[in-house]
Every structure is written in structure tokens, then in C-alpha cells.
Amino acid sequence: MLKFSLLPHRENTARIFLLFLLVVTLVYSNTFTASWHLDDMPNIVNNANIHIRSLTPSEIFRSFHSPFSSSQRISRPVSYLTLAINWYFCKDSVFGYHVVNILIHAIVLFLLFRVITVLYASPRLRSYREREPTWYPAALTAALLWAVNPIQTQAVNYIVQRMASLAALFYLWGILNYLYARTTEHVLKRYGYLFLMLCCFFASVGSKENGIMFPAAIVLIEGIFFSKRVRAYQRLFFVLAISGGLFYLLLLWSNQNPLPSFLDYSARSFTLQERLLTEPRIIVYYLSLIFYPLPSRLSLLHDINISSSLFHPLTTLWAFIFLWLLTIFSIWNLRKTPILSFAILFYLLNHLVESTILPLELVFEHRNYLPSLFLFWPLTAVVLETVRRYWEKQRFIGVLLLVTLFFYMFSLGIWTYIRNRVWHNEETLWSDVLKKNPNLARPYQGLAIFLSSRGRTDLAIPLYEKSLQKKDQTPGRSQNLAYQNIGSYFLKQGNLNKAQKNFAAALNALPGDVDSYYSLILTLIREKKYQEAARMTDHVLSEKQNQKNARFLNTRGFIFLKTGQPEKALAYLRAAYFANPGDRKIMLNLAAAMIGAGDYHKAKDLLAQVAKRYGNDLLTLLLQVETELHLGNTAAADVFLTRIFSRFPLPVIKAGLNEQPDRLTLDMNLLLPALKNKSRELIKSATASLDATQ
């Protein structure tokens, strides 16, 4: 094996990292208070799995589990672990999360620089390195151009997309360990590096699934930079490229989905074939964004017309031909232009997971974080080599090229700083998307959700209504969201007829959606249509996946209570309590059912638990009074009555006693006399105290 220096300019390594950290911190210095966005909420803020209270093994293991799976399967454990540690120290303060994201980005930048410098010492590039003193600044500049590029703002500012940057971090670290193992002559070190490489591979996949392409990237590096049998690798890559292209065409012309059933496109507004037709155009569009990333061109969402055939739009065919020719060119020139070939093939290779057959949304800028790592390397190598050649004879041209390169890098940094402002909060983010993509439904809904959270529901409803006329890649879910929120608005306004119509429309847009069912059932209960609500609840509970759903078990038990059947209510409410033992509503409904069934002692114990956990609210106190009166404990009942009158004004108590369709029915025959007597007693006591003071 060939030996070469693994750490050129070793004495500058720490300084280089500090330089990178400084640059990254400067260009992202206006993002430390950027708010939570979109998937941050279910993945972080509302994800109980990562809300760890200690750094014990059990708490750490709990953080590995997905917040979206009822079976609590392990999902992206490395990413969720870092978020859990962030939560342990920072809770829901965004500052700490942004600090970590920026630090990760700086480390990725440093690893990218290290990988490029080590590749420069590989057999294929060693002679280039010896004759071209520009190799080191080329590596430095290429890494910086990648890091300050505005297209990376989505992966850095969008907190949950730490998953993408962590996957890239371990991916690059794995490559670096492979390079070390590939070139060391020390056997133990070699196996140590290979072990670390495997650990990095698993950590990359454990951060985000697109790390699965790591082994293919190692084959690519071996074939281009190390192997003496370049032609053998060329033949291999040609076979893969041609067979892959033919398979791609086969999928395009297939009338039915020939792939496994987990590739379910039923919720999408496009088919597998349409996705495969559209993605080549998107990848070409990505390339234009990477090299010309004006903030006005960047957006959280992009309005992409779906390709219906190779000729509609015609750019579909041109994009497909361009990418295929680019692949063939890169393979054909492995010997002549190894840096350019590697950059192109690495980019296309690492788009295979998110830009081919999986039923993901069509376009997101953060998907370029890993694939684009090496794209600026050939550019800086050529520019700086040209500068060196012209420096002695035509220095003006050399200076002009250097100034242009510096201006380009400086512009990228400024554009990144400008683009960061969009991520300040949900309003700035969705306003930007709406301005650039007025025909998409989601920006209207995102802005409406933000306005609703600020109490401006009156302004949000027109936006939801507009969104119903716009495009979305998941039209059923998009319309369901709009109708649900419109229905909730009318429900709060007391317009039950309009609320019911909108909840029914939400269910029609997304058949089987349990949230729509639940909203519709609550509306029917408000309308005192208990039998209809019961039938709908039974229908939901008849589905196997919903049989242990605590919300619907609790609702069915509540309906039995409202219709005077406490014994039947007990079975459902006990099942709901078993499914979700800490829910206050379930505990109160179960206590009421126990009272109705005559099991007063158990009701008393359960109400004591509610009071201990949640405090003495009015309903809990009234139920405790009712229980003690049934047991004949007038002294204990008097204690709770005293608490009621000491904590709540008379209008609040009267409102709590009013019969409502969606509230528990209390035993007024017991409560009213007790409350009146206690009220008279308190009035008499207050009068006596007043007379005594006079």
C-alpha cells in the first residue's frame, strides 16, 4: 500500500476548525432565536419520548423510539438521542438547539475539508498534488463554498433537519476512517479504522436513512482514487448506469406499480411513474439552486408541475437525457477528470434514496445537504489552477479570477444571512412561501395556523377556505386539515350546524381519519344526538386498530353516562383508563360511573388521585361532595363544600351546575340542598362577623 501524509499542515488543524466555526457562526448568527417549525412540534416539542428527566440508560433508550408509531419502534436513534440531550438541558428553548445545529454544520465542514485533503494524497491525485501547490487552498475553498451556500439553510435552521446534517457528519467521518484504513500499513490501526468506519456507517443510517448509500460511496472512492484497475470499475459503473437507466424507463412505462406494496402512493396527488418522470427535472433544478442560490429562488416549498410523460412538459425528456449523459461522461472520464467525475457521481448516487421511488414529497432543499458535499471541489480546483498558470504571465486574469471567486463566496455568505431571516418564525416562513408559491395550499394553511395560535382565528378562516382551492401533493390530508380547522372555529362559536358540515367534509376528504370522527362525534354530543354519536363511536371502535383508543373508549363511556347507563359506561371507561391511566377526563368520567353504579368507595379513592395530581377544580370538588353525601359522610362533604365557596365565586359555581350536553350530569337532588345550606351558613357567619365588628 502507498504511504502518504494523512495530516498535511498538521499544526494548522485546530486553527482551521476554529476558522470554520467562526465563519459558520457568522453567517448563521441571526438564527439563534428562530422559532420551532412544522415537524419540530411532533418530533421535539410534543414528543414525550425525548423529554428525558435524567441521563440514565432507560431514559436514553426511550428516546430512540419514534413518536409516530403505536408500536414504539426504534427510529433514527442517533438523531433523537441528540434531541433528547438538548431537551434535558434546554427544554423548549430554541437557543440550545440552534447552537448544536450550527456546531454540527461546522464539524461537517471540517470533515469535508479533511476528506478532500486526504483524497488529494491518494494514488490518483498524488501527482497532481505534487505539481499543483493550489491543492490545499482548493480543498479549503471548496469546503467553505459548500458550507456558506444558502441552500443549506433549510438543513441548519430547521431544527429537526439536524437528522440530515448528522447523517452527513457520520457519512463523512466514515469515509475519512476508510481512507485512513486504506492507506495505513499498521495492521491493528487498519482494523481499528475499519471498525470506526462501520460504527460511522450505522450512526449515519441511525441519523437518517439516506446514510444507507455509504457502502456505494466507498466503492466509488475506491474505483476512482485508489484502484489500479480503473477500466474494471468503469465497466462496472457503465453496467450499473445503463441497467439503472433501463430499469428507470421500465418503471416509467409500467402501467402498474411493479414494486413492493409499501410504496403506497394512494395519499399523493401523483403516481410512482409521475414521480419518476418529475424527479430528473427537480434534480437539474437543484443543481441550478446550488450554484445560483439567490434568496428569492429558495423556498420551504416549491410549486413543481408534475410530468405526465417524457414529452409533457418537454423539459422532462431533456432533463432525463442530460442526467444520463452526465453520468456516462463522468464514468467515461474517470481517469482524465477524477475530481469532476467523483463530484457528479457522488451527487447523483446520494439522491437515489429521496429522489427516486419512495412516495416522499417531490422537492425539499435540505435533501441536497449530503449529495452536494463535493460539487464545489472541481470548480475550485480548476479556478485556482488557472490562477496559478496565469499569475506570472497575465496576472490581471489571475487576480480577476481570485476576486471573482472571493466575491462569489462572500455573496453566498450574505445570501445565507439574508435567507436566515425567513426562518425567524412561522409567520415570516409561510409569508415567504406564499409570496413565491401562491398556488400551493400549504402556505395558506401554515399562515392560518400561526394566526390562530395568536388568537386571530377570524383572519385564519379565510386562508383555510382559500387553501381548499389550491394545489397540494397530499390533497386529501390538506383538505382534511382545512375543514377540521374551519369546523373547530364554528364549534367554538356555537354554530353546530356549520361545524358538523365541515367535520363531515373533513372525513369525506380523508376517509377513516379518527380525528375527523372524533370532532364529528363531539359535535353530535353537543347537539344531544347521543344515539347517532354512539353509533359513530361504535363504528370507530369496531376497527381493529382503534379498539384500544382511549379517546373513543372514554367517549363511548361518557355517552352511556349521559343516557343513564353507568354500569355499561364502567366497562368502556375502565378500558380507557387502562389505555391512558393519567388522563384527567377519563378519571373523572370513571369516578362518575362508579358513583352511578353505587361503588362510592372506589370513586372516592379515584377522585383523591385526581385532586392530588391535578388539584381541586370545581368538577372534582362537586363529585367529591356527591360521593361523601352518598356515603353519609356529611362532615367530609362539608370540608369540600367549604373549599368550593372559598375558591370559586358564586357565578362560576352556578355555571358549573348548569346541565350541558358535553359535561357530566351531576346529582342535583343531593348537591343543591347541600350547596344552599352551606351558602346560608356562610352568609350567617359573615353577618355575625360584621355585627361583631360594629
Side-chain angles (χ1 to χ4, degrees):
M1 292 191 180
L2 294 169
K3 280 183 78 175
F4 57 89
S5 173
L6 294 177
L7 288 173
H9 303 266
R10 181 187 293 271
E11 69 279 0
N12 291 327
T13 300
R15 294 180 184 178
I16 290 294
F17 177 73
L18 290 175
L19 170 66
F20 288 163
L21 183 60
L22 176 63
V23 170
V24 168
T25 303
L26 280 174
V27 296
Y28 285 97
S29 60
N30 57 342
T31 68
F32 288 104
T33 59
S35 71
W36 303 107
H37 296 290
L38 297 128
D39 289 346
D40 289 338
M41 303 307 291
N43 281 286
I44 305 172
V45 180
N46 301 325
N47 181 5
N49 291 335
I50 71 160
H51 297 173
I52 60 176
R53 296 176 293 275
S54 64
L55 298 177
T56 58
S58 60
E59 287 282 275
I60 288 172
F61 181 72
R62 180 164 64 92
S63 73
F64 295 168
H65 295 81
S66 168
F68 304 107
S69 173
S70 58
S71 62
Q72 289 291 284
R73 64 181 177 83
I74 291 178
S75 172
R76 302 182 180 180
V78 177
S79 294
Y80 281 121
L81 174 60
T82 67
L83 293 169
I85 294 172
N86 249 141
W87 184 272
Y88 178 74
F89 288 105
C90 307
K91 296 299 185 287
D92 60 352
S93 172
V94 295
F95 180 84
Y97 297 85
H98 286 298
V99 168
V100 174
N101 276 24
I102 290 170
L103 179 61
I104 290 170
H105 190 52
I107 294 172
V108 174
L109 166 58
F110 178 74
L111 288 172
L112 174 60
F113 165 72
R114 289 295 303 119
V115 167
I116 294 175
T117 56
V118 174
L119 284 173
Y120 263 123
S122 66
R124 189 73 59 225
L125 296 181
R126 190 170 62 173
S127 60
Y128 177 90
R129 168 178 158 163
E130 290 171 351
R131 73 172 185 271
E132 285 294 338
T134 58
W135 66 272
Y136 194 78
L140 190 72
T141 309
L144 283 169
L145 285 172
W146 172 85
V148 301
N149 196 302
I151 203 168
Q152 316 303 358
T153 54
Q154 194 173 112
V156 179
N157 291 324
Y158 190 0
I159 294 172
V160 79
Q161 287 309 329
R162 172 184 303 182
M163 296 173 176
S165 57
L166 270 177
L169 186 155
F170 288 110
Y171 200 113
L172 278 174
W173 196 5
I175 290 174
L176 198 57
N177 280 297
Y178 166 76
L179 295 176
Y180 291 168
R182 183 67 175 80
T183 55
T184 184
E185 293 183 348
H186 195 288
V187 176
L188 287 179
K189 283 187 176 181
R190 184 181 308 149
Y191 284 112
Y193 287 134
L194 288 174
F195 175 75
L196 286 174
M197 180 194 75
L198 285 174
C199 290
C200 288
F201 168 51
F202 290 123
S204 182
V205 176
S207 300
K208 194 175 181 182
E209 292 78 359
N210 55 352
I212 199 69
M213 300 309 298
F214 176 82
I218 294 300
V219 173
L220 191 66
I221 291 170
E222 178 68 25
I224 295 177
F225 296 108
F226 288 94
S227 178
K228 295 179 180 179
R229 298 177 295 172
V230 177
R231 294 197 180 279
Y233 276 93
Q234 279 182 315
R235 286 194 291 270
L236 172 64
F237 294 155
F238 269 128
V239 169
L240 290 174
I242 293 170
S243 59
L246 292 174
F247 180 65
Y248 204 89
L249 290 172
L250 174 65
L251 291 178
L252 292 179
W253 275 302
S254 174
N255 292 323
Q256 295 182 343
N257 186 353
L259 295 167
S261 58
F262 71 83
L263 298 177
D264 182 11
Y265 278 76
S266 59
R268 296 296 182 190
S269 61
F270 50 84
T271 64
L272 168 66
Q273 288 75 17
E274 287 173 332
R275 190 177 206 282
L276 291 170
L277 285 163
T278 309
E279 282 299 332
R281 290 171 43 226
I282 291 172
I283 291 175
V284 173
Y285 180 59
Y286 282 155
L287 287 170
S288 76
L289 288 179
I290 290 167
F291 288 102
Y292 186 50
L294 274 176
S296 59
R297 302 186 69 214
L298 302 176
S299 177
L300 174 67
L301 304 175
H302 292 270
D303 187 3
I304 300 292
N305 292 322
I306 295 171
S307 298
S308 57
S309 73
L310 276 172
F311 307 101
H312 191 272
L314 191 59
T315 50
T316 305
L317 178 62
W318 298 129
F320 183 81
I321 292 172
F322 171 74
L323 292 178
W324 207 352
L325 290 177
L326 197 63
T327 304
I328 300 300
F329 167 83
S330 302
I331 297 170
W332 188 266
N333 290 282
L334 286 183
R335 279 183 179 275
K336 295 179 181 178
T337 58
I339 295 175
L340 179 61
S341 295
F342 172 66
I344 293 170
L345 293 176
F346 185 89
Y347 179 77
L348 297 176
L349 172 71
N350 285 286
H351 263 299
L352 289 178
V353 173
E354 294 182 298
S355 299
T356 52
I357 62 175
L358 296 179
L360 306 172
E361 295 197 41
L362 289 172
V363 53
F364 273 122
E365 291 164 11
H366 67 259
R367 291 177 184 167
N368 291 278
Y369 191 88
L370 172 57
S372 65
L373 283 168
F374 297 97
L375 280 183
F376 289 99
W377 184 16
L379 173 66
T380 57
V382 169
V383 170
L384 292 177
E385 183 182 345
T386 305
V387 168
R388 185 194 61 78
R389 288 180 179 177
Y390 280 101
W391 195 256
E392 295 299 330
K393 297 180 180 179
Q394 293 178 288
R395 182 164 297 188
F396 173 76
I397 295 177
V399 171
L400 183 62
L401 285 173
L402 274 180
V403 170
T404 302
L405 186 61
F406 173 80
F407 179 76
Y408 181 51
M409 184 187 297
F410 183 77
S411 298
L412 292 180
I414 295 296
W415 292 344
T416 294
Y417 191 87
I418 293 170
R419 177 65 187 163
N420 290 338
R421 296 172 183 168
V422 169
W423 292 89
H424 178 63
N425 59 36
E426 290 284 85
E427 183 178 23
T428 55
L429 180 65
W430 288 117
S431 296
D432 177 75
V433 180
L434 185 58
K435 179 182 177 181
K436 295 170 181 175
N437 304 279
N439 293 320
L440 294 181
R442 204 176 307 178
Y444 292 92
Q445 295 178 355
L447 199 53
I449 292 170
F450 173 81
L451 291 170
S452 296
S453 70
R454 295 297 189 273
R456 299 307 308 272
T457 313
D458 55 323
L459 297 177
I461 296 304
L463 291 172
Y464 282 124
E465 291 172 342
K466 282 184 180 180
S467 75
L468 293 169
Q469 313 303 320
K470 304 297 181 179
K471 296 188 300 182
D472 196 87
Q473 292 179 21
T474 52
R477 189 161 297 281
S478 172
Q479 292 183 2
N480 172 270
L481 174 66
Y483 283 123
Q484 274 268 46
N485 283 286
I486 295 170
S488 297
Y489 171 76
F490 285 121
L491 187 63
K492 288 179 182 177
Q493 297 293 316
N495 192 332
L496 301 180
N497 185 42
K498 283 190 175 181
Q500 185 177 341
K501 286 181 179 178
N502 278 283
F503 290 140
L507 189 58
N508 185 57
L510 196 64
D513 178 55
V514 291
D515 291 328
S516 301
Y517 270 121
Y518 188 70
S519 299
L520 195 50
I521 290 165
L522 290 184
T523 308
L524 292 171
I525 289 172
R526 285 269 193 99
E527 293 178 308
K528 298 184 180 181
K529 296 178 180 178
Y530 295 118
Q531 290 185 347
E532 193 174 340
R535 283 196 298 271
M536 191 171 289
T537 308
D538 288 338
H539 171 72
V540 175
L541 289 171
S542 67
E543 299 290 334
K544 185 177 180 180
Q545 68 271 20
N546 299 325
Q547 288 174 358
K548 295 182 180 180
N549 189 307
R551 280 197 305 174
F552 290 94
L553 289 168
N554 178 57
T555 302
R556 190 64 183 97
F558 176 81
I559 294 170
F560 274 125
L561 282 175
K562 294 298 290 186
T563 54
Q565 304 174 78
E567 292 82 5
K568 290 184 178 180
L570 273 174
Y572 284 93
L573 292 168
R574 280 174 178 149
Y577 181 72
F578 181 77
N580 189 4
D583 187 276
R584 177 181 165 275
K585 288 183 179 179
I586 293 173
M587 296 172 81
L588 289 174
N589 287 341
L590 180 56
M594 290 172 175
I595 294 169
D599 201 346
Y600 305 122
H601 290 286
K602 286 186 177 179
K604 179 178 178 178
D605 292 340
L606 185 58
L607 288 168
Q609 291 180 39
V610 176
K612 183 178 180 181
R613 178 175 293 188
Y614 297 105
N616 285 304
D617 67 302
L618 181 59
L619 180 57
T620 304
L621 286 166
L622 289 170
L623 287 171
Q624 286 176 313
V625 171
E626 188 177 325
T627 305
E628 297 296 350
L629 291 174
H630 277 296
L631 289 169
N633 299 331
T634 53
D638 190 66
V639 171
F640 292 121
L641 287 166
T642 302
R643 290 179 186 174
I644 289 173
F645 281 100
S646 65
R647 297 181 184 185
F648 302 99
L650 194 58
V652 173
I653 297 172
K654 286 182 177 179
L657 293 171
N658 288 338
E659 175 70 15
Q660 296 291 338
D662 57 347
R663 290 208 310 230
L664 284 171
T665 300
L666 300 167
D667 189 343
M668 293 302 169
N669 293 327
L670 276 178
L671 286 174
L672 281 178
L675 287 163
K676 287 179 180 178
N677 289 335
K678 188 63 180 178
S679 177
R680 292 192 194 101
E681 179 187 322
L682 292 171
I683 292 170
K684 183 185 286 188
S685 176
T687 304
S689 298
L690 184 61
D691 290 340
T693 57
Q694 291 176 345

